[in-house]
Amino acid sequence: MSKATDGPTYVRIAEDIRRRMRDGDPPAGGMLPSEADLARTYGVARGTVRQAVAELERAGLVASEAGRGRRVVGEGPPGAGRAASTQYETIAEALRKRIESGELAPGQQLPGEVAAAEEYGVSKGTVRQAFQLLASEQMIASVHGKGWFVGGPGHARTRADDVAAALRQDIAGGKFAVGAVLPGENALAQEQGVGRITVRRAFALLEAEGIVEKRAGRGRVVKTQPKGS
């Protein structure tokens, strides 16, 4: 292990394991040594090793496989030259092709883990591993509180953003004048084909912009025209 003393022990162990993986020990697709083996190698408690490995998992460099341990995802370029050998790799490859073909565009939100698990007939954990693999290739990124998006946080656009944009356009176009009461959450949810929570988030965006305000007994009312309209 590196003799650098900066940072907690588990961080230095994580960096050393990361360096070894870049050197192909173990290679992408291979299994990481067990926590007990790593604890012996580094002369630390298993809890310290567990923290180090958790750092690698958060970085998308390794992924847990039930009953097997942790498989190395690696830091190579996207799609780097190995065939999919597990369920999560197969799912990642399918999503990778959809992204590369443009079917899934930058900024588009991926299906949630539950929906994807149902689509592919696997567990949520397997879907999460597939997402982590694509994240390690910088093809997708997780946006806190929103989900996974193609391209990363800078491209993230949710359904709430789309609903807010539609309302913004309707207000700018005169469909809803200043002082008009907007349709309720249920009506908009049905019209837009989304859940009420999505409509609520869209209203929150417009309220933050000062375009809409909530008035007791009336609902959401148009307060002003969108900027630039």
Side-chain angles (χ1 to χ4, degrees), residues 203-221:
F203 279 147
L205 291 171
L206 297 178
E207 288 169 8
E209 295 170 17
I211 298 172
V212 169
E213 66 178 1
K214 190 174 183 180
R215 295 183 184 173
R218 296 191 67 191
R220 270 86 175 188
V221 176

Side-chain angles (χ1 to χ4, degrees), residues 39-205:
R40 283 192 292 270
T41 297
Y42 290 103
V44 296
R46 287 185 62 173
T48 302
V49 166
R50 194 170 297 123
Q51 287 179 290
V53 174
E55 284 289 306
L56 299 175
E57 286 183 312
R58 279 192 288 271
L61 301 177
V62 300
S64 296
E65 294 186 3
R68 298 192 64 189
R70 295 175 176 90
R71 184 180 293 274
V72 176
V73 175
E75 295 184 304
R82 61 184 176 92
S85 59
T86 64
Q87 285 183 315
Y88 80 84
E89 289 173 310
T90 300
I91 294 169
E93 179 61 19
L95 290 170
R96 190 182 293 113
K97 288 180 178 178
R98 293 175 65 187
I99 293 170
E100 290 173 344
S101 70
E103 181 183 347
L104 293 174
Q108 187 168 344
Q109 186 172 14
L110 295 176
E113 291 177 3
V114 173
E118 291 177 356
E119 178 182 352
Y120 291 103
V122 297
S123 69
K124 282 177 59 179
T126 298
V127 170
R128 191 173 301 122
Q129 287 175 294
F131 286 169
Q132 289 172 339
L133 174 55
L134 294 175
S136 74
E137 300 171 2
Q138 299 182 342
M139 299 193 78
I140 67 173
S142 176
V143 179
H144 181 69
K146 293 185 177 182
W148 292 90
F149 292 82
V150 177
H155 295 101
R157 183 180 180 86
T158 66
R159 288 292 288 131
D161 292 318
D162 292 335
V163 173
L167 288 170
R168 206 178 286 113
Q169 185 174 354
D170 286 342
I171 294 169
K175 181 177 180 180
F176 299 113
V178 174
V181 178
L182 293 172
E185 292 177 2
N186 286 334
L188 276 174
Q190 186 172 1
E191 177 185 330
Q192 297 288 333
V194 297
R196 283 184 61 189
I197 187 64
T198 299
V199 172
R200 196 169 301 138
R201 288 170 178 165
F203 279 147
L205 291 171

